[in-house]
Amino acid sequence: MTAPVKTALTCPEDLLAEGLIAPADMPALEQVAQDFRIRVTPAMRAAITAPQDPVAAQFVPTAAELITRPEERADPIGDAVHSPAPGLTHRYPDRAILHITKTCDVYCRFCFRRETVGETGPLPEADLAQALAYIAATRGLREIILTGGDPLTLSPRRLEDVLTRLSAIPHITTLRVHSRVPVVAPERITPALVDLLRGQRPAVWVVVHTNHAQELTAPARAALARLVEAGVPLLSQSVLLRGVNDSHQALVDLFRALQDCRVKPYYLHHCDLAPGTSQFRTTIAAGRALVAGLRGHLSGAAIPTYVLDIPGGFGKVPITADHFSPGPRPGTWRVTDWQGGLHDYADPAS
């Protein structure tokens, strides 16, 4: 057994040295690395048991990322369409997303923001001030979602500054932090960070991104326990990924493991149309069948909502009969957005 790595793997040469790719893979992966960042934390390297297992598949690049299908787009969920200020997405009346940093601790190969993450670090102060001014002036907002990038990669001082400034806006009653950190870099969930999240008013909810039970290592479970025991409410979001978790047993194991960790499974996302990600997408029909098959095997508290972010910025909808019906052509779906608008979604995996 090789010694655990102590620093993140950030280039094809690092992956080769760890036996996660073959020498023949190098030319293609060097090309991939020119467009999309690579980063595998020591915690996730330790979680990988074989070069193509469900954890490796999420973080180790492949030549398939060089294939961009016609329907894939740089901004698959339409963040830019609803950006009234730098770093801000305001898609729904009562909540907005604040992209507080472009940095992540890991770079997922299926990421829907993969063309922008890693480009820069924290949102510059002038842009942050403009975003906060918009939030303060928009009284219909009540919830702010911190994302990026990953907000928990920020220094505690910078994160506290952002949370304090948001908390000072009277009509903001809920703060939400979306993060992979408790799973992929559990050592960052320090007592000081836990105290910071626990001490905020309004309360901070943490939404943990994880896709396979194998990611929930002993250190990750301990980090989640530190948050739960401090009274920080935890939800999860996952992505349905072909070759990672697209089986009944993988989803059951994941959602049971999250429930064991006192994390409520919240969303299961259909994989977005980000460039170079077609190898991860299932069909909508396959996803619906998998989710339907969870009933009776899991309690309702352990089953997340299966959702699609409609391409173009029209919002997130449950993949249910209320919002989805067969489209005009084979392999297409007619999707009803939250405002009643109709959209045709061509299932590229059909």
Side-chain angles (χ1 to χ4, degrees), residues 276-293:
T277 62
S278 60
Q279 71 274 18
F280 289 110
R281 272 189 295 281
T282 67
T283 63
I284 293 283
R288 291 177 79 173
L290 279 168
V291 173

Side-chain angles (χ1 to χ4, degrees), residues 238-256:
S238 306
V239 182
L240 183 62
L241 299 169
R242 184 151 52 110
V244 174
N245 58 15
D246 62 329
S247 71
H248 173 82
Q249 196 59 53
L251 292 179
V252 167
D253 290 346
L254 172 61
F255 300 140
R256 282 180 178 162

Side-chain angles (χ1 to χ4, degrees), residues 112-141:
F112 65 95
R113 295 192 179 114
R114 68 200 313 255
E115 293 211 336
T116 59
V117 293
E119 285 183 353
T120 55
L123 189 66
E125 172 57 33
D127 291 347
L128 175 61
Q130 189 174 339
L132 292 172
Y134 176 89
I135 293 168
T138 308
R139 297 190 61 82
L141 287 171

Side-chain angles (χ1 to χ4, degrees), residues 192-265:
L193 178 60
V194 171
D195 286 345
L196 170 60
L197 296 175
R198 172 175 55 190
Q200 294 299 315
R201 293 292 180 271
V204 175
W205 291 64
V206 173
V207 181
V208 181
H209 180 175
T210 186
N211 299 312
H212 197 275
Q214 191 175 319
E215 296 174 61
L216 295 171
T217 61
R221 290 171 184 257
L224 295 171
R226 289 195 289 276
L227 291 166
V228 171
E229 289 161 11
V232 178
L234 299 183
L235 304 172
S236 77
Q237 60 177 353
S238 306
V239 182
L240 183 62
L241 299 169
R242 184 151 52 110
V244 174
N245 58 15
D246 62 329
S247 71
H248 173 82
Q249 196 59 53
L251 292 179
V252 167
D253 290 346
L254 172 61
F255 300 140
R256 282 180 178 162
L258 285 164
Q259 195 174 38
D260 289 347
C261 292
R262 294 172 286 179
V263 180
K264 167 68 178 85

Side-chain angles (χ1 to χ4, degrees), residues 128-195:
L128 175 61
Q130 189 174 339
L132 292 172
Y134 176 89
I135 293 168
T138 308
R139 297 190 61 82
L141 287 171
R142 64 173 300 274
E143 181 174 4
I144 300 299
I145 299 131
L146 271 63
T147 183
D150 194 316
L152 295 188
T153 63
L154 293 174
S155 70
R157 178 195 59 79
R158 189 181 292 269
L159 180 61
E160 181 176 19
D161 174 66
V162 174
L163 292 174
T164 299
R165 291 160 78 177
L166 285 168
S167 298
I169 299 173
H171 53 269
I172 299 304
T173 61
T174 305
L175 299 175
R176 209 190 317 161
V177 173
H178 285 214
S179 179
R180 255 207 182 276
V181 162
V183 171
V184 304
E187 70 280 359
R188 285 188 182 269
I189 308 302
T190 62
L193 178 60
V194 171
D195 286 345

